[in-house]
Amino acid sequence: ETGVTQTPRHLVMGMTNKKSLKCEQHLGHNAMYWYKQSAKKPLELMFVYSLEERVENNSVPSRFSPECPNSSHLFLHLHTLQPEDSALYLCASSQDSGSADTQYFGPGTRLTVL
Amino acid sequence: DAKTTQPPSMDCAEGRAANLPCNHSTISGNEYVYWYRQIHSQGPQYIIHGLKNNETNEMASLIITEDRKSSTLILPHATLRDTAVYYCIVRGASNFGNEKLTFGTGTRLTIIP
């Protein structure tokens, strides 16, 4: 256990559905991240939050909408997704101290878009 | 830009030491070498990191060459549960902007019974 939990672990949704992925960290960290891992592709950073402010958005389509209500929770709201959005979505957290900060990952949510 | 080069796959016998190489010839002075691994369909797991000196923890040892252009991750007594994709990552001191954590394709390590 890394101290980062994600729910649900598996999700199947249609292209017209709206769903949300949840991430919670129990490590007292001040930064949280969303990554996407498609089949046979490297992990791609999607969003970064530091102290609940979004500091990076890597040209992610607007059908993905992140929310960070506090330093322990991170959501990824999904709407009108495409089949190519099927992937493993990973959440991570770290303590931004200005030095080499280690990111700790959750187990991921396996998303399938039909 | 690929900052690191790793062999795509390796095998290691159970109980033996697994030595995973990584080349990072363009590493700059303030960049760290990080190692993560990812067991099938799970989140990446942090293993170890270092700047200049060799490092050891309960999971592994990290040997960095004096010129810092390459490194080796050593799993001293490999078990079947060490079968995973191992990622060598070079990054600077901050998680943000240009110094973010960038994963490549890694080395698929298979431990043979």
Side-chain angles (χ1 to χ4, degrees):
Chain A
E1 295 297 325
T2 62
V4 181
T5 59
Q6 291 186 245
T7 54
R9 294 294 308 277
H10 301 271
L11 177 62
V12 179
M13 59 186 289
M15 289 189 286
T16 58
N17 292 156
K18 289 185 179 181
K19 297 287 185 183
S20 295
L21 309 185
K22 179 183 176 182
C23 176
E24 184 173 1
Q25 59 95 1
H26 311 273
L27 301 169
H29 289 165
N30 61 7
M32 298 186 77
Y33 312 76
W34 280 117
Y35 287 84
K36 175 185 178 182
Q37 188 173 33
S38 303
K40 299 183 180 180
K41 291 177 67 176
L43 273 77
E44 305 169 60
L45 180 65
M46 299 176 71
F47 301 103
V48 180
Y49 276 82
S50 175
L51 299 172
E52 300 146 45
E53 295 290 325
R54 191 188 311 180
V55 297
E56 187 153 343
N57 174 356
N58 276 3
S59 302
V60 179
S62 60
R63 57 186 184 268
F64 295 91
S65 175
E67 178 189 3
C68 187
N70 55 61
S71 59
S72 298
H73 295 87
L74 185 65
F75 294 90
L76 188 62
H77 303 301
L78 316 171
H79 62 96
T80 60
L81 294 191
Q82 305 298 312
E84 59 264 29
D85 296 321
S86 299
L88 181 67
Y89 288 84
L90 292 155
C91 174
S93 72
S94 71
Q95 181 62 27
D96 179 21
S97 60
S99 63
D101 309 317
T102 299
Q103 293 183 28
Y104 294 90
F105 286 80
T109 294
R110 173 71 61 186
L111 174 67
T112 302
V113 181
L114 302 177
Chain B
D1 290 340
K3 285 191 169 184
T4 64
T5 304
Q6 298 178 252
S9 64
M10 291 180 62
D11 293 340
C12 178
E14 187 179 16
R16 295 295 188 103
N19 297 283
L20 292 93
C22 179
N23 287 321
H24 31 80
S25 58
T26 60
I27 193 170
S28 60
N30 66 345
E31 289 184 316
Y32 290 75
V33 180
Y34 270 78
W35 284 84
Y36 281 79
R37 72 180 182 185
Q38 189 173 22
I39 296 169
H40 181 62
S41 293
Q42 297 183 24
Q45 178 188 21
Y46 166 76
I47 301 173
I48 199 167
H49 74 281
L51 183 63
K52 296 180 181 178
N53 300 322
N54 298 337
E55 302 287 346
T56 296
N57 63 20
E58 65 279 3
M59 289 184 68
S61 294
L62 174 60
I63 308 299
I64 303 175
T65 58
E66 192 169 343
D67 63 7
R68 302 185 72 237
K69 293 185 177 182
S70 65
S71 61
T72 301
L73 179 75
I74 302 173
L75 308 179
H77 305 286
T79 71
L80 298 179
R81 292 196 295 180
D82 292 323
T83 292
V85 178
Y86 286 76
Y87 298 98
C88 172
I89 301 165
V90 166
R91 60 177 285 262
S94 170
N95 273 316
F96 309 121
N98 293 328
E99 294 127 347
K100 62 189 177 186
L101 203 62
T102 301
F103 286 79
T105 53
T107 295
R108 182 171 297 278
L109 175 68
T110 303
I111 306 302
I112 309 297

